[in-house]
Amino acid sequence: MSFTGIHGLDHSINSTNEWIAAVASAFETEDRDFAYRVLRAWMHSMRDRLTVEAAAHLAAQLPELLRGVFYDGWSPRHMPYKYDAQRFAERFADEARVARTDVHRTASTVTEVVMSRIAPGGVEQALRQMPDELRRLVSEKEVSRH
């Protein structure tokens, strides 16, 4: 389907739709607004806790439209924010509009979807830069620092 008549943009829109559908499917919901919110919250929460280099590496693997969402509101000169797991959870919950008690399950689910859609090791590389408590919050899998 052509949305814009511009091949590159149409491809990005289609890819973004596929990512949102994959997130919705992982949550067994048809609520694409929810799927977009939790994906966006995941991208922003991860981005702001990573170094500029790690954030850029992760963003480079996203579809063009999602890369724009990833960078929306970003100020690289202040990165990374050194917030702890509690602050990360608060921020994620607020942006995703989920209960704080649902952050681990929600963030872990989004992490799994993103891991399945980008190059092997891409998310793991970003997670290795995060403190253990944050890695455990956003991932069910153990990611070693080595």
Side-chain angles (χ1 to χ4, degrees), residues 126-144:
L127 290 174
R128 277 189 216 100
Q129 292 206 1
M130 300 172 79
D132 292 342
E133 66 177 348
L134 287 177
R135 280 199 312 274
R136 285 190 300 270
L137 183 63
V138 301
S139 181
E140 293 291 336
K141 293 183 179 180
E142 183 62 32
V143 178
S144 70

Side-chain angles (χ1 to χ4, degrees), residues 64-130:
E64 186 175 15
L65 185 58
L66 286 179
R67 197 172 319 127
V69 172
F70 183 91
Y71 284 121
D72 184 42
W74 192 48
S75 178
R77 71 182 177 146
H78 299 292
M79 297 305 140
Y81 288 134
K82 298 290 185 179
Y83 46 70
D84 61 11
Q86 179 179 341
R87 178 63 190 121
F88 184 99
E90 290 168 357
R91 178 181 178 181
F92 183 94
D94 289 347
E95 187 167 348
R97 295 191 318 240
V98 299
R100 284 181 177 72
T101 55
D102 290 337
V103 168
H104 173 67
R105 180 184 63 83
T106 305
S108 294
T109 299
V110 175
T111 298
E112 290 299 316
V113 172
V114 174
M115 287 173 124
S116 75
R117 302 196 70 81
I118 65 174
V123 174
E124 292 89 341
Q125 181 179 359
L127 290 174
R128 277 189 216 100
Q129 292 206 1
M130 300 172 79

